Structures are given as structure tokens and as C-alpha cells.
Amino acid sequence: MTAVIQALTARPAWKALEAHHQKVRDLHLRELFATDPKRGARLTTEAVGVTLDYSKNRVTDETLGLLLQLAEESSLRARIDAMFRGEKINRTEDRAVLHVALRAPKGASILVDGQNVVPQVHAVLDKMADFCNRIRSGAWKGHTGKPIRNVVNIGIGGSDLGPVMAYEALKHYSMRSITFRFVSNVDGNDFVEATRDLDPSETLFIISSKTFTTLETMTNAQSARSWVLEGLGGDAGAVARHFVAVSTDAAKVSAFGIDTANMFEFWDWVGGRYSLCSAIGLSTMLAIGPDGFRALLHGFHQMDEHFRTAPFERNLPVLMGLLGIWYSDFFGAQTVAVLPYEQYLKRFPAYLQQLTMESNGKHVTLDGTGVACPTAPIYWGEPGTNGQHSFYQLIHQGTRLIPCDFIAFVEALNPLGRHHDILMANVFAQTEALAFGKTPEQVKAEGTPDWLVPHRVFEGNRPTNTILAQRLTPETLGKLVALYEHGVFTQGAIWSIDSFDQWGVELGKVLAQRIIPEVENEAEPDLGHDSSTNSLIRSYRRLKVRS
Ligand code: F6P
């Protein structure tokens, strides 16, 4: 993409937003709602079965108009088109960014370097489906002839967070006769706890790594190999029945000892944190079956199409992305809380942390100059209502502004007495309390003694989005994840950053490689670090129990 975009703070909409912010920053949501009785309905929009109520945000029509103008001036439309056309918008890695191709229907055409990638996407999906059917039916036998009853995904980052989040989110639809585990941390406790009650003869490992070089994953994969071989009498032939790989690098998979016939491929135009719809989703497909996985992809695709085609003023990811910019860059909000009122989404905030912060936690723009404003806020969260009894105090009465996304579903997956109505009542109560609070007058009128009044006042004016869908299904999950993916894209486009590289993770990896022999070798090493690091390494060497 060659279009020259003005520096962010020089864009007319940015300047106008700065001036506008001075005028509206103290405006209270109480006033905004009082002067517009239809605000709730007016600032609610629905697309592909997902409803977004963004009325409880500290915005006027003018704010929204200026934010939308900022999107135009930031060439958001051109950036979206460039992504969908397969242009190499990941400039620092010279790669196309085509997770949207992973969920494109058969027959679609998306070109990378002149080649339509959609047929190869569907060929891998078909191969995955065939494999999953064989595992799920028991036709695939382990080395000793037993069917597979346990699946362990070994991966980290995008090769773990997507699979574990999706498995937890869709557990309701999963095949309960297979046990699923996820090992990511190089901390041996992770592997040991995940495998301690499993029988190697009934266990399949999926080694998931885009690069097939990641230290944590390769270390865990080696331990898995030893665990299987020890458990099955040392016959290396067992590897073929108990290991499959998901990667972009066939040569490295082969070098590890996994037959490439048991490898599921994906491509360098799929970013790790955007890879759930690729073969990285193999554990998800094993859990919910090929039809469920295709429904998940269909959900993603519907949101992709909405993002690609809907006018910005009705475009859910664009609206959410712009509101995020408003709080982060104009109000100085440093974090965003994501609060799913759905226990199955318990790993969703952790998944979003990589998606948002590895994508947009950048300090330079595409041309290498410093960004002029804060980029990605810190994402965090817990399922409701648990958070209400821990950190919500700070959101309601603390000194920081924390925009929140509430996520809820009309139907319970496990209807149980009054539970779901109570859960939903809490969603509505929290967003109401955060927006409108409780004035000193109201507190006094309740007979509160004067000295206690300040403690019991709720300022309100805490902004929230409410995202509502009918029911958590594979399709809905796809829509929800794509909503956030494209919100991240929107923000990256406004900040003119490369949302698809992750150079910030490199330095620590390189230093760890240097330190590993320094902690492992018998001979005392010559240490050339700073005095703190040298002394930590020496203490560790002195104190550790040598095995
Ligand atoms: O943390 C850096 C990172 O490269 C992530 O972007 C990626 O998801 C993760 O490591 C795992 O990488 P791989 O799939 O290549 O093992």
C-alpha cells in the first residue's frame, strides 16, 4: 500500500477531536441520557446476530462524527481492502495478512503473489476433518492398538491461547469421551500436571508451532516424545501413532521425527495470534467435530464480511476500535476490562491479551517514526460475576477510568433454575451503576450520616459497551473473535502501525538462549552481563540442586 497518510496528530479530525475533548470531557452520561430519551436505542446497532449497545459511552453525536472522520482520514477503508486483497500489509515481515482467507467459503478467490489460496485452505480443512473423524470414531489406533482417549496440544502464544480459549468456550459442544489438555509453559510443572493421569497408549500429542523452533514448544515436545517412548517400551515407531504436527515448516517437522503425512499445514500469511481458524484449530475440531468447526469458521466469515462491507457508522469492529482510541488517546485510559458474563469464556480475556497487545503494543509507525500517542491499552478481565466481588470496586470508585466491555448471551447453555436471569440482571445492573452512579443527594436521602456520604457516592460516568448475542455457539464464538480482531485492525490503521509483527518478543528470546548454557554447564562460566544479572545467575548456580 503506497497511499501517504498524514501524521496522526496532523489529521484535521485528530485536531478537532482534541478541541472537542476539552469541551465534552466532563459531560456526564446522566446528562447525555436525560437530554436524549432515545439514546439507548439510537446508539445500539446489530449485525450478523451480534448486538452492540455503545450508548453508555462518553460520546456525543459530534464525537462519533469526528471519530468516523478520523477513520476516513486514516485511510481505514483502503487498509481493509488491502488486507482482503492479500497485499503485504505486514510491512516489516513483508507478508500478506490473510486470516480472513482461512474462513472464506469454498469457491472464493483470495490471491497471494498471484495465487488463489482458498483451495489450499479447504484442502487442509478436509484433511483435518478426515483425521478428526478417524480419531473421534476410534478408527485411528495408538501404537498398541487402543483408540485415542486423550489429546494434548503443545504450543504457546497463538499456538496455545486460541486452542485453549476455543476449547473452553465450546466445551458444551465437545466430545466428552476425549480428554483435552493444553501444555504451553516451559515450566515442567505444566507438562507433568497435564500428563500425570494419562495413559501414553491412549494419548495423542498435537505439536502446534508456526515456526517449529519455539523454545518452550520444542522443549515440551521433546519431553512428550520421551514420555510416550518410555511409556510404550521405547519403540520409536510409536511416534507416528501418537504425534501430529501443525506448522508452516515441513522440514523442521520432519527433522523432529514426525512424518509429514501427519502434518497439517498453514502459511506465513497467517499470524500466530490470528491462527485459530487454521490447522492450529485442530484440537478445537477434534473437540467439537468438523461440522462444529465449519460453523465456527462461518461465524468468523460473517463478521469478516460485515467489517469489509458495512458503512463505518454501523460497523461493529470499527465503532469499537474508534471508541477504544477515544478513551486511550484522549481520556488517557490505560486499560480496558473485558468482562464475559459466561463461564465458558473464562479464557477469552487471556486470548484477547495476545491479540490486542502483541498486535498494537508498538512504539513506532509503519515508517519507523515514533507514534505520537499511546497505542494498545492493557486488556484484562475475568468472567462476571466473580470480578464483581474483587476488582469492580476500583472500576466503580477508583481514580482510574477503565472502559469495560460486557459480553452476555440471552440463552443459557445449561439452564438451571433462576441462575441465568440472575446472571443477566447483574450485567444490566453493573452497566447502569457504572454509567449513572449515585449522587451525594441520593446517598443523603437514604439517611446516610454526613461523614459516610463521600464513601458511598458513586460518581458514575464509567463507560461500557454491552455485547449481546443469542447463545454461545461455535458460530457466535467466531463472530465474537472476529469482532475483536477487526477492532484491533481498525486501531492499528488509525495509529499507522504494523499490527502484524512482534519484534518486541525477540530480545528476551535471544538473551535466554545465551543464558541457558550459563546456568546448565558444569564449568563456571565467564559472565558478561550487568552486575545484577551476573549475580542472579551465580546465586542460582550456587543454590540449585544438581541432578
Ligand atoms: O510470542 C511470540 C510468538 O511468535 C507469537 O507471536 C506466537 O503466537 C508464539 O510466539 C508461538 O510461535 P510458534 O507458533 O511459531 O511456536
Side-chain angles (χ1 to χ4, degrees), residues 156-159 209-211 214 217 272-273 354 358 502 505 509:
I156 197 164
S159 301
S209 175
K210 180 175 170 179
T211 54
T214 305
T217 301
R273 54 197 173 271
Q354 187 197 17
E358 202 174 72
Q502 55 282 318
V505 302
K509 286 186 192 174

Side-chain angles (χ1 to χ4, degrees), residues 37-107:
K38 299 211 168 100
R39 182 180 170 94
R42 219 165 50 73
L43 300 189
T44 294
T45 185
E46 185 274 340
V48 300
V50 177
T51 298
L52 170 67
D53 178 346
Y54 60 103
S55 63
K56 294 192 185 86
N57 278 289
R58 292 167 67 171
V59 292
T60 64
D61 288 352
E62 189 182 350
T63 322
L64 291 168
L66 289 172
L67 287 168
L68 291 165
Q69 186 189 326
L70 180 66
E72 298 295 347
E73 288 174 11
S74 307
S75 298
L76 176 59
R77 177 64 64 203
R79 300 272 308 254
I80 296 171
D81 291 345
M83 172 170 73
F84 278 84
R85 265 201 309 272
E87 284 184 27
K88 297 193 173 168
I89 61 168
N90 177 355
R91 209 183 280 174
T92 70
E93 295 180 327
D94 193 29
R95 285 177 182 163
V97 173
L98 274 181
H99 41 282
V100 293
L102 299 170
R103 48 263 193 158
K106 253 186 192 146

Side-chain angles (χ1 to χ4, degrees), residues 132-285:
C132 290
N133 286 334
R134 282 189 287 151
I135 295 283
R136 287 164 60 94
S137 68
W140 176 290
K141 301 282 191 266
H143 187 58
T144 61
K146 289 191 188 167
I148 297 299
R149 292 164 50 88
N150 315 304
V151 172
V152 182
N153 185 77
I154 293 182
I156 197 164
S159 301
D160 166 71
L161 287 163
V164 71
M165 179 278 292
Y167 170 69
E168 292 294 344
L170 301 175
K171 201 181 232 173
H172 182 74
Y173 305 92
S174 70
M175 190 165 178
R176 302 292 180 144
S177 55
I178 299 183
T179 297
F180 288 86
R181 301 269 164 85
F182 299 84
V183 175
S184 54
N185 200 331
V186 76
D187 181 340
N189 295 331
D190 202 11
F191 182 85
V192 169
E193 285 297 336
T195 52
R196 64 182 313 125
D197 56 346
L198 304 186
D199 176 349
S201 68
E202 299 178 333
T203 302
L204 175 81
F205 287 93
I206 305 174
I207 312 301
S208 297
S209 175
K210 180 175 170 179
T211 54
F212 233 71
T213 57
T214 305
L215 177 64
E216 293 88 340
T217 301
M218 291 303 110
T219 307
N220 278 315
Q222 289 294 355
S223 297
R225 199 171 190 278
S226 308
W227 183 82
V228 166
L229 294 186
E230 268 166 36
L232 298 180
D235 180 355
V239 171
R241 305 309 301 164
H242 294 273
F243 283 82
V244 296
V246 178
S247 185
T248 57
D249 196 327
K252 295 212 172 69
V253 168
S254 194
F256 179 84
I258 297 179
D259 185 343
T260 49
N262 294 337
M263 168 182 161
F264 300 86
E265 185 194 9
F266 66 114
W267 307 272
D268 75 354
W269 40 263
V270 182
R273 54 197 173 271
Y274 297 88
S275 63
L276 171 58
C277 299
S278 73
I280 289 290
L282 186 64
S283 57
T284 313
M285 192 192 269

Side-chain angles (χ1 to χ4, degrees), residues 199-487:
D199 176 349
S201 68
E202 299 178 333
T203 302
L204 175 81
F205 287 93
I206 305 174
I207 312 301
S208 297
S209 175
K210 180 175 170 179
T211 54
F212 233 71
T213 57
T214 305
L215 177 64
E216 293 88 340
T217 301
M218 291 303 110
T219 307
N220 278 315
Q222 289 294 355
S223 297
R225 199 171 190 278
S226 308
W227 183 82
V228 166
L229 294 186
E230 268 166 36
L232 298 180
D235 180 355
V239 171
R241 305 309 301 164
H242 294 273
F243 283 82
V244 296
V246 178
S247 185
T248 57
D249 196 327
K252 295 212 172 69
V253 168
S254 194
F256 179 84
I258 297 179
D259 185 343
T260 49
N262 294 337
M263 168 182 161
F264 300 86
E265 185 194 9
F266 66 114
W267 307 272
D268 75 354
W269 40 263
V270 182
R273 54 197 173 271
Y274 297 88
S275 63
L276 171 58
C277 299
S278 73
I280 289 290
L282 186 64
S283 57
T284 313
M285 192 192 269
L286 279 166
I288 64 171
D291 288 347
F293 196 75
R294 285 186 196 282
L296 175 76
L297 299 186
H298 182 53
F300 271 97
H301 178 65
Q302 289 173 71
M303 189 57 81
D304 294 344
E305 283 304 285
H306 167 71
F307 179 55
R308 190 176 69 80
T309 60
F312 287 167
E313 64 274 16
R314 292 201 305 275
N315 195 310
L316 268 48
V318 171
L319 288 169
M320 282 184 65
L322 291 172
L323 289 165
I325 299 249
W326 176 235
Y327 294 118
S328 159
D329 294 357
F330 295 90
F331 282 89
Q334 294 190 334
T335 80
V336 173
V338 180
L339 309 165
Y341 277 65
E342 169 55 73
Q343 188 63 21
Y344 285 117
L345 288 182
K346 65 181 180 191
R347 294 304 304 272
F348 192 62
Y351 171 79
L352 284 187
Q353 288 184 323
Q354 187 197 17
L355 177 66
T356 57
M357 296 197 270
E358 202 174 72
S359 295
N360 283 343
K362 308 288 163 66
H363 69 138
V364 291
T365 61
L366 282 163
D367 63 13
T369 55
V371 288
C373 58
T375 54
I378 297 151
Y379 275 74
W380 59 286
E382 278 289 321
T385 58
N386 295 12
Q388 291 174 205
H389 297 272
S390 80
F391 54 79
Y392 277 41
Q393 164 66 38
L394 182 152
I395 304 179
H396 281 285
Q397 284 191 317
T399 52
R400 296 168 194 279
L401 179 72
I402 303 181
C404 304
D405 290 348
F406 284 75
I407 302 171
F409 300 90
V410 174
E411 283 176 50
L413 292 183
N414 298 296
L416 181 64
R418 299 169 60 216
H419 284 247
H420 198 64
D421 284 341
I422 293 173
L423 179 73
M424 293 301 288
N426 273 280
V427 176
F428 306 139
Q430 288 298 327
T431 65
E432 186 178 10
L434 287 164
F436 302 104
K438 203 174 194 184
T439 62
E441 295 68 38
Q442 289 171 311
V443 176
K444 271 186 210 150
E446 289 170 349
T448 309
D450 280 357
W451 68 269
L452 193 54
V453 169
H455 298 274
R456 301 195 60 172
V457 164
F458 288 73
E459 285 170 350
N461 221 11
R462 268 65 170 166
T464 59
N465 288 316
T466 303
I467 298 164
L468 204 58
Q470 186 65 27
R471 183 181 164 88
L472 178 58
T473 60
E475 193 177 320
T476 316
L477 181 69
K479 292 172 187 173
L480 193 59
V481 175
L483 170 63
Y484 278 93
E485 285 180 346
H486 298 317

